Amino acid sequence: MANTVVKIDKLVKRYKELVAVDHLSLEIFEGEVFGLLGPNGSGKTTTINCLLSLLSYDKGDIQIFGKDMSPTAYDIKKDIGVVMQNVAVFDQLTVYENIDYFCGLYIKNKAERKKAVEDAIAFTGLENFVKFKPKKLSGGLLRRLNIACGIAHKPKLIIFDEPTVAVDPQSRNKILEGIIDLNRQGATIIYTSHYMEEVEQICTRLAIIDRGRVIAEGTIDELKSNVKCSETVMVEARDVDQAMLEKVRALDHVFETSYENGELTVKYTGGKHNVVRLLNTLQNDNIHIGRVSSEQPTLNTVFLELTGKELRDKE
């Protein structure tokens, strides 16, 4: 079994009457790309800030690399990289100077730092922009600069907090490929995002938290297997009346049906050959059938089923 990199045990953080993190426990292992998901106000940002000792907390224990984390645990912090959602660079410094400054917080040797900065520039594809100041960079390039500043010192643990917000598809793809490469090079990654397709693309395991608690944890396939809906079938069909809907609802494993704008939607809890049985039932009543499609549950399906569909206030 892989070594434990992060261990959070029964973490509690209160803001007066509000319990932002409620006895939350997590364990993240070496080599993982671990997704930390949750709706706005779920406690993700508070948990990360406690993990980094940027916030004090009321109860619980946090260990990183097997050591107790604290505000003065500099031996631990030197092996952590943080790329936050809000870009944090100096407008008056060039791209090179920004990366050099942040890298210099960890690497004092000039020759070693120069190599690390050049590696970070190459890794993020910023070679043609080293003399630019941040205000001259596009949103995607600015995000890449933010990443370069966070990873130049080659940390063992890297936290990415929504690093692809408001960037173009090409930059997003470059960022995700970079995260995968960092993981391949040995870094353990904690990744937060509201883009479920990104999480499905890069994360090996994840936790969904809500109201300060872990409500689901495991691989993506494990989480998908726990949702009620295992398959959704959509059929373009003419003249489906109430009697026909009742026949469809009576089929094995069906738990929900709807018919709107000429499209019949049927949701299943399991079973095999659901499409065949549905089409046979429709054809037996001479229902004219058009386009047919079937969808397996996505991570977005899991997320909405576990956390609900109502809008939340921001954290």
Side-chain angles (χ1 to χ4, degrees), residues 79-92:
D79 287 323
I80 301 175
V82 183
V83 181
M84 302 303 280
Q85 177 181 347
N86 296 322
V87 175
V89 295
F90 294 104
D91 288 338
Q92 65 270 34

Side-chain angles (χ1 to χ4, degrees), residues 82-83 89 95-96 98-100 102-103 116-126 141-155 160 182:
V82 183
V83 181
V89 295
V95 163
Y96 187 97
N98 264 289
I99 301 169
D100 184 63
F102 285 102
C103 188
V117 171
E118 290 173 351
D119 287 348
I121 289 169
F123 183 81
T124 50
L126 292 171
L141 290 172
L142 198 56
R143 290 280 174 189
R144 285 196 243 165
L145 171 58
N146 203 40
I147 290 171
C149 292
I151 61 96
H153 61 292
K154 296 180 170 55
F160 288 92
L182 287 168

Side-chain angles (χ1 to χ4, degrees), residues 202-219:
I202 69 171
C203 291
T204 54
R205 198 165 61 91
L206 57 93
I208 299 175
I209 67 175
D210 196 16
R211 306 186 193 281
R213 294 186 175 186
V214 175
I215 58 173
E217 185 178 358
T219 66

